[in-house]
Amino acid sequence: MGVIIDGCPSNIELNKKCIQDELDKRKPGQSSMTTERKESDMCEIVSGIFEGKTTGAPIAVLVKNSNMYSADYENLKDVFRPSHADASFFKKYGIRDHRGGGRSSGRETISRVMGGAVAQEILKQHNIKIIGFARAIGGETFENVDESFIEKNPLRMADESSFKRALDHVESVKAEGDSLGGIVEIRIKNPPAGLGAPVFDKLEADLAKACMSVGAVKGFEIGEGFSLSAKKGSEANDEFISNPGSDFLTRVRTKRNVNGGILGGISTGEDIWFRVAVKPTSSISKPQKTVNTKGEEVDLEIEGRHDPIIVPRVIPVLEAMTALVLVDHLMMNASISNFQFSNKKNE
Amino acid sequence: MGVIIDGCPSNIELNKKCIQDELDKRKPGQSSMTTERKESDMCEIVSGIFEGKTTGAPIAVLVKNSNMYSADYENLKDVFRPSHADASFFKKYGIRDHRGGGRSSGRETISRVMGGAVAQEILKQHNIKIIGFARAIGGETFENVDESFIEKNPLRMADESSFKRALDHVESVKAEGDSLGGIVEIRIKNPPAGLGAPVFDKLEADLAKACMSVGAVKGFEIGEGFSLSAKKGSEANDEFISNPGSDFLTRVRTKRNVNGGILGGISTGEDIWFRVAVKPTSSISKPQKTVNTKGEEVDLEIEGRHDPIIVPRVIPVLEAMTALVLVDHLMMNASISNFQFSNKKNE
Amino acid sequence: MGVIIDGCPSNIELNKKCIQDELDKRKPGQSSMTTERKESDMCEIVSGIFEGKTTGAPIAVLVKNSNMYSADYENLKDVFRPSHADASFFKKYGIRDHRGGGRSSGRETISRVMGGAVAQEILKQHNIKIIGFARAIGGETFENVDESFIEKNPLRMADESSFKRALDHVESVKAEGDSLGGIVEIRIKNPPAGLGAPVFDKLEADLAKACMSVGAVKGFEIGEGFSLSAKKGSEANDEFISNPGSDFLTRVRTKRNVNGGILGGISTGEDIWFRVAVKPTSSISKPQKTVNTKGEEVDLEIEGRHDPIIVPRVIPVLEAMTALVLVDHLMMNASISNFQFSNKKNE
Amino acid sequence: MGVIIDGCPSNIELNKKCIQDELDKRKPGQSSMTTERKESDMCEIVSGIFEGKTTGAPIAVLVKNSNMYSADYENLKDVFRPSHADASFFKKYGIRDHRGGGRSSGRETISRVMGGAVAQEILKQHNIKIIGFARAIGGETFENVDESFIEKNPLRMADESSFKRALDHVESVKAEGDSLGGIVEIRIKNPPAGLGAPVFDKLEADLAKACMSVGAVKGFEIGEGFSLSAKKGSEANDEFISNPGSDFLTRVRTKRNVNGGILGGISTGEDIWFRVAVKPTSSISKPQKTVNTKGEEVDLEIEGRHDPIIVPRVIPVLEAMTALVLVDHLMMNASISNFQFSNKKNE
């Protein structure tokens, strides 16, 4: 597996560790909550870095994967797994590569995480930080948010008081050979105002596409989202307030940030926040009914160990996608809005 | 206002009427539910059509607009309207064009509807149809769906039994000078299997971006979306069933279509369906607090008549965006997956 | 006719005059050398400018054209004109729109010139200037270059000593009902170093594409081009020399600039120069043989007045295309190479 | 080194051999004419193929390279080589990676050749073939064309009668430690009519960009190119003739094909042909003057063995780029022009 990151500015400090750290968050086998296949997922930067800094050339990062798939997947050779992509891929391409690890496999997210790690490193240098956590699991929404708790628990929850109960829920579902889904909340801390384009490439539109392109994601809402649609205008509208300070960009603020830090497709300067619906893991041990490649109805039991919940492992992927969208828009802004200034200085 | 539609195949029958019909659905002043400004919105095709057929050249469509804005908007010259894009635009561009009708105005959707009308005409020739309706208004979700009722009521609801109650709700909110939002459901009837790309350009990702790029849209969910994230895998998984018929593309089907007609980013051949959250109209008559361009806190009353709910007028815009995404993917498929066949025949 | 210029930075001073001036250079009827149809070509900016400055919104410019084509072109309705695009268009689109002014008409260059005028205005603010002139006409190459002479003669030559002879040549060919071609040289004065991408989007590659996309252009060479391919390496190589000055970007220079100001796809900081081959006007009064839409061989006489040479009118089009490529790369540079600096300052 | 080929249709037969064959044509050490470094250049397909056919997934091809560069290039660490990209890269990126093999190295063309090999395989299945040969070497143009001779001589000439003289010329220049350039002619046999877009993406414009993006290429001309610009219209115009046959696409032909098989940016159905100027190898053994990274003027001798002429090795690269452009336009045509037919059949 590998990823090629093109268009990265030169002279940015970058090392293997920042990529490996993000990979480790995505990796299976971190706890009993996630699959226990042994995937090494050790990355290596093979181009684009010289003496610790980006050169402007594409950055290629490789990950070696010692796992053998062929055996595990042999019994699924002729069967379409429910709620998996097998059948629609077959309909599209007219060919079936039954070995695991294809483009609908969770393993393709390794590339996303590696690209996102570089993007997050760039964002850090602009003092922008991305945080994701499990806002809901198996239908229960957690109200408290303590960001310091996120990396201390295997479910990546931010609500310590609910953790024990949620963990028990996951464990019992796992024991049944079943799975759970949940809702992820992503927060972008300290984004600049002015990111996003006003018509088709609104910032929330690009964020929605990026998140919806991750497997198992079924919904996206910016700010209060669906619940905002149930309110009256007088309740939903978020009044502007004046924040002391001489700079216009920071003086005009919104009072409650219900729109998630974006208005009219363009960031306001408030923290950006949105939520993403993740369906329960499709691979379950419980017996299921399905159809094989001959179109015959058959019974199916998927062997092996499965994540009872993939929410904790999807979070670093969604953080990565968010970072990639942000860097893209930061670069567009550097190019377009501030073009007249930046060029005079730098060319 | 105008739109230029590039890349349309040649020799497709197209006339002004199909575009005008869609425009009329979007137009204000259709009923007491929508703004009563008189906008003519009469379209004219100025290029790309010769003797009733597309020539392959870009299709340019113009709409004359007799409305004068300058007077209406003069009193808003120095004030940022809450939950509007004024402030974030100012932060981005450093310039303020206070006249209405800018790119964050609802009027930019005219272009989307005209482009979408052409796309829908192409889809019709592939026997694909797009239908949208109000699934929820002001927090109330309507359960019944009678598609034949949609164009018979000003709220574009599909549930006749709830219509009177919903209309009363909208009227009473209008009398208060307030507004409502709602949820739109879009259904794509008879889509081919195999549309969509497996990684970044998943079909649901492109649909999400297209819908989230429409003003006032705050959320998107494909199929059962957010509610799917609250279920167990064994409940959420949608088993494949075998449908009699000799063609594989139609034989393998899903039983309940909870995933909205897309698996792994690629259409399954089932009807595609998704929902979109629309916030309440931001322009309300009730007094609000805000900030002016000097950063001073001021009171604001927005004069004039406002839509108490924009859901009915957003529906044709969302249908248009959906049609554009579909045609785009149909063309990609014609290009890539079926390239080996189509070229041998047609070149 | 119109053009929409998207992505222009905000707050750039721009007025109608700079666009009209470029249009006037392209306009027919400037002298006996160019067609005498009366085309008004008066432009109007209809969006994107507010109080004399760009707003960041797309800039739409329209040109009214009072000329009627239908009559003039009626007799060409069923005939393919030699070396014109009629037949290949028909083969591609399967439809024939015989009215003049289509996308292969010289009139489409109006849009290019208008877009290029805005680009040249931006370049002026970076102290970059683009100059084009006729380096050869009808097979004769002119050696002297006096840039101040270019706008003083209808052939846009830079060699005053050869002008009278070239004019006589053109006049005599015109009297025969025939036409001439020539070679245009374009010079970019004071470009920054570092423009261009190292692999596929080399600066000379983008310039070549931009120029070759103009009708009647048949060749492109950067710097000494084809003649460089006939030299030995020791003659062709251009040694680096050291120019006094504290800044590295200006200190290292090339001695003879035979490579045209670009090495490895990236501008060196030297003036950029290249040459473009323009074929003789295809519309001539002399009788020709051709085929009609039924595939029958027929004799053809194209009535009306034709440019005996289009080189002088192609020059502003090539300048426009050059300017558009440069602004594109300046923006990419503002985005990518200087991203780390510009954002810190401007966001 | 590797290449990832995305967007390749599924179910196309493809194997390692067709890629390796093209690589072998580009490889150094084929004769005394080309560098004798030992580069293995053995390719391996690591994804996108299953049981001998493309799956629709990206095709990744890797090439192992056993050569060590670090030692060879150490002495060039601080020196800018004349007519190389070193200085302009340094000016752009502000960083210097002096190891060979960067993006301005000839080795980056390996990726182009591998991608082009896949494209050529697709073209073969449409009965389209691409042939390239040395039309001129060191200033001498060869008139005869015998395509069967091309792969029988190390200079890839098509004129057997001139071969011995040209070889002697190259050998003597090599003995001096100097180098030669030349002109490559590319012919596309049996292209379909209708490829190319009418305005900016004219087929010749895309071919020009593709060729000019290859290192050492300094010029491009379609058909008679620069020499066409020296003719009168009555000589240059190419009359249409009628070719017996019932199909319009093949019935209307041009008599002499001086425009190189493209009119108005769109292929006519005649063979496409164009020429490309290649400068002499910049790396020569003869002493040269240059500047080092401190801006000091120094003498330079580049050690090691150099190609006395790179024309024979550039030919497969130009063939590859040509194939990639053609497949791109074939796919666009499958998508756009023939969309109405192909979809009805294939979706």
Side-chain angles (χ1 to χ4, degrees), chain A residues 297-314:
Chain A
E297 301 192 349
V298 294
D299 290 316
L300 169 70
E301 269 185 69
I302 307 177
E303 290 165 27
R305 316 203 65 154
H306 312 295
D307 280 349
I309 182 164
I310 53 166
V311 169
R313 289 179 67 200
V314 167

Side-chain angles (χ1 to χ4, degrees), chain A residues 184-206:
Chain A
V184 173
E185 182 166 324
I186 301 285
R187 295 176 173 189
I188 306 170
K189 305 278 188 166
N190 193 35
L195 295 183
V199 185
F200 297 110
D201 297 327
K202 288 188 165 77
L203 187 55
E204 67 267 44
D206 279 346

Side-chain angles (χ1 to χ4, degrees), chain C residues 65-341:
Chain C
N65 180 231
S66 52
N67 250 14
M68 284 297 97
Y69 283 88
S70 317
D72 309 27
Y73 287 83
E74 193 61 30
N75 67 321
L76 298 173
K77 186 173 171 179
D78 300 319
V79 171
F80 297 121
R81 290 166 297 161
S83 291
H84 273 273
D86 318 29
S88 48
F89 268 60
F90 193 32
K91 289 180 178 187
K92 183 179 185 80
Y93 296 110
I95 198 165
R96 185 166 164 84
D97 182 352
H98 64 274
R99 302 164 300 178
R103 284 187 294 169
S104 67
S105 155
R107 282 196 59 77
E108 64 91 356
T109 59
I110 290 179
S111 303
R112 301 183 191 239
V113 169
M114 291 192 290
V118 173
Q120 288 184 71
E121 198 60 28
I122 294 174
L123 293 178
K124 259 181 227 166
Q125 297 176 13
H126 287 76
N127 297 316
I128 304 169
K129 204 177 164 187
I130 295 171
I131 287 167
F133 58 91
R135 174 57 94 172
I137 283 178
E140 185 189 355
T141 302
F142 314 119
E143 291 307 321
N144 299 328
V145 178
D146 171 5
E147 292 173 359
S148 71
F149 182 61
I150 300 171
E151 291 306 319
K152 292 182 189 153
N153 75 90
L155 293 172
R156 284 206 172 87
M157 292 169 55
D159 185 346
E160 190 163 6
S161 64
S162 310
F163 171 64
K164 184 69 178 58
R165 189 173 60 252
L167 191 65
D168 289 347
H169 190 187
V170 173
E171 295 281 13
S172 73
V173 165
K174 184 188 179 187
E176 297 166 21
D178 213 333
S179 65
L180 289 177
I183 294 172
V184 173
E185 181 166 323
I186 300 284
R187 295 177 172 189
I188 305 170
K189 305 278 188 166
N190 194 37
L195 296 183
V199 186
F200 298 111
D201 297 327
K202 288 189 165 79
L203 187 57
E204 67 268 44
D206 279 345
L207 289 168
K209 173 166 180 175
C211 292
M212 294 294 300
S213 80
V214 176
V217 170
K218 303 299 292 181
F220 175 93
E221 56 181 2
I222 181 80
E224 293 193 359
F226 277 88
S227 61
L228 207 60
S229 77
K231 292 189 175 166
K232 288 186 182 176
S234 58
E235 298 156 2
N237 280 3
D238 195 0
E239 65 188 63
F240 287 110
I241 54 173
S242 190
N243 191 42
S246 56
D247 180 7
F248 176 78
L249 288 178
T250 54
R251 194 162 66 236
V252 175
R253 305 200 47 175
T254 58
K255 193 169 184 180
R256 296 176 295 140
N257 197 16
V258 296
N259 284 292
I262 305 176
L263 280 172
I266 293 171
S267 66
T268 62
E270 305 294 325
D271 285 357
I272 294 168
W273 63 281
F274 53 86
R275 289 171 182 171
V276 169
V278 179
K279 71 176 179 182
T281 323
S282 300
S283 290
I284 55 176
S285 305
K286 280 195 166 175
Q288 301 178 82
K289 289 184 181 307
T290 188
V291 170
N292 65 18
T293 52
K294 295 174 198 149
E296 300 161 344
E297 300 192 348
V298 294
D299 290 318
L300 168 71
E301 270 186 68
I302 306 178
E303 291 166 28
R305 315 203 65 151
H306 312 294
D307 280 349
I309 181 164
I310 53 166
V311 169
R313 289 179 67 200
V314 166
I315 290 172
V317 181
L318 292 168
E319 291 171 342
M321 297 307 291
T322 302
L324 288 165
V325 169
L326 274 191
V327 167
D328 207 28
H329 278 279
L330 276 170
M331 285 191 162
M332 272 192 266
N333 256 33
S335 164
I336 295 175
S337 305
N338 300 315
F339 172 69
Q340 59 272 44
F341 310 113

